[in-house]
Amino acid sequence: MQKKLLIISPYFPPVNAADMQRVRMSLPYFENFGWQAEVVTVAPPYTDMAQDELLLQSVPTFVKVHTVKALNKSFTSKIGLGSIALRSLWYYRQKINRILKKQKFDLIYFSTTQFPVCILGAYWKKRFGIPYVIDMQDPWHSDYYINKPKSQRPPKYWFAYRLNKYLEPIAIKNVDGLVSVSAGYVSQLKSRYPQIKNVPSAVITFGAFAPDLQIAVQNGGRFPSLLNEGYFNMVYAGRGGTDLHQAIRPVFEAFKIVLKHDFAKYSKIRFHFIGTSYAPTGQGQATILPLALQLGLENYVTELTGRISYYHTLLTLQQANALLIPGSDDPQYTASKIFPYLLTGKPVLAIFNKASSAIPILNDYGVQHVYNYDEVSEADLLTFFDQLSNNNFNHTEYNTDAVAKYSAVEMTRAQCLLFNQIVNGYR
């Protein structure tokens, strides 16, 4: 008999948000491993994120999706409460109370970076006796920005820092299991809260979900090209930030060298940084272009701060000549975006903090040009640019064992193994 899983994900298709991708890519496979999932999300009209109707094509029709309301942001933002988690908290409580009175669920699964909603896990556990798991896709309460200049801190950092410091222990001290994209996030929480040191946990990356690339190609006529025809286009699509500079700077500096060495050969290379800001279109602040300006490379670097749709992004990655994946200077950061990059079969240049979990994954795949920014050499990067300009890259064939190991179906299996461990411990 299948067990029942109630998933809390404030963002869900057609809303285009990074933190719902694990749920979306897992939904086709939960039943394969003995779990029947239902999702509770915020109704799209109450969100403030861009929507992409194509995302719905990947959601199985057999999955039941419940929606809740949220307070109007135009009102709540005046008192500093713009977060979808805070605006929907009361509605989540009421809706799921009604669901749990009518149906029996074996486990509640919070998979979101809208962490304040996770405090309801402790409430439902106490009231209904249902264990819960939290998916730590990012740190919740973190000191990472505390010594950063104000210009580098997220908006409303002062308020968010104090709110997170208060809310995190409510949810984490009572949690029955943790999923995380980074071992560092789990160890930090278990160190901070000794009472959870023995709760089951698993480090599970986002999986590679091949159907997405097919959806992007099938709908390619909907999207304008963002690249320069007749050039060697190198693309990064994802959030920006000065914390990426340590990874990007050596690439730009090596490019300056090859330009000086053979301008005619290398001047056809163009760098594209796409969707680097979470701010509304036209309001984002460039964070990569200033580095290019500093190095005199502004004519070779384009930064589009506005977010584009998920499938427009995937199509653009497939249209590129090569792909750049820069990592954060935060050692716990892992780039979930690496799997769409790898699925394209395009040449990849990846540079991360040496402690990042992305490096061993990329090595497992057999990526040729993956480095950490402390040790990458000028010669390494010159070789990459030489291969790119000479078009010496063929379609990349990655290690088949790694392709299977990091597929969305295997990542779903890993989640279900953790779920089984938790519910079996409760019986």
Side-chain angles (χ1 to χ4, degrees), residues 50-64:
Q51 297 185 30
D52 184 351
E53 295 295 327
L54 291 178
L55 286 164
L56 293 171
Q57 293 187 17
S58 66
V59 178
T61 55
F62 59 78
V63 173
K64 188 170 185 178

Side-chain angles (χ1 to χ4, degrees), residues 172-187:
I172 300 298
K173 285 181 179 180
N174 295 284
V175 78
D176 298 280
L178 294 170
V179 172
S180 179
V181 296
S182 166
Y185 297 167
V186 173
S187 62

Side-chain angles (χ1 to χ4, degrees), residues 14 25 56 151 168-169 219 237 262 268 270 328 336 396 411 419:
M25 295 176 186
L56 293 171
S151 61
E168 183 186 81
N219 293 276
D262 192 338
K268 289 287 188 179
R270 293 291 184 273
S328 171
S336 58
T396 305
M411 297 300 103
F419 299 162

Side-chain angles (χ1 to χ4, degrees), residues 339-387:
F339 294 108
Y341 282 65
L342 295 171
L343 284 170
T344 68
K346 297 289 183 177
V348 167
L349 173 60
I351 303 182
F352 285 84
N353 184 299
K354 68 170 65 176
S356 172
S357 60
I359 291 179
I361 294 173
L362 291 162
N363 286 332
D364 278 355
Y365 266 83
V367 176
Q368 180 182 357
H369 293 284
V370 53
Y371 309 103
N372 72 72
Y373 54 67
D374 289 325
E375 298 173 1
V376 62
S377 72
E378 186 179 284
D380 292 329
L381 297 172
L382 297 183
T383 298
F384 176 86
F385 285 123
D386 183 63
Q387 290 176 314

Side-chain angles (χ1 to χ4, degrees), residues 151-152 238-245 248 273-280 282-293 298 301-306:
S151 61
Q152 294 182 22
R239 64 96 173 165
T242 55
D243 63 311
L244 303 182
H245 282 193
I248 297 172
F273 297 85
I274 298 170
T276 55
S277 172
Y278 292 109
Q283 299 180 32
Q285 182 177 354
T287 53
I288 309 302
L289 189 57
L291 179 61
L293 285 163
E298 62 273 17
V301 176
T302 299
E303 180 175 4
L304 301 178
T305 59

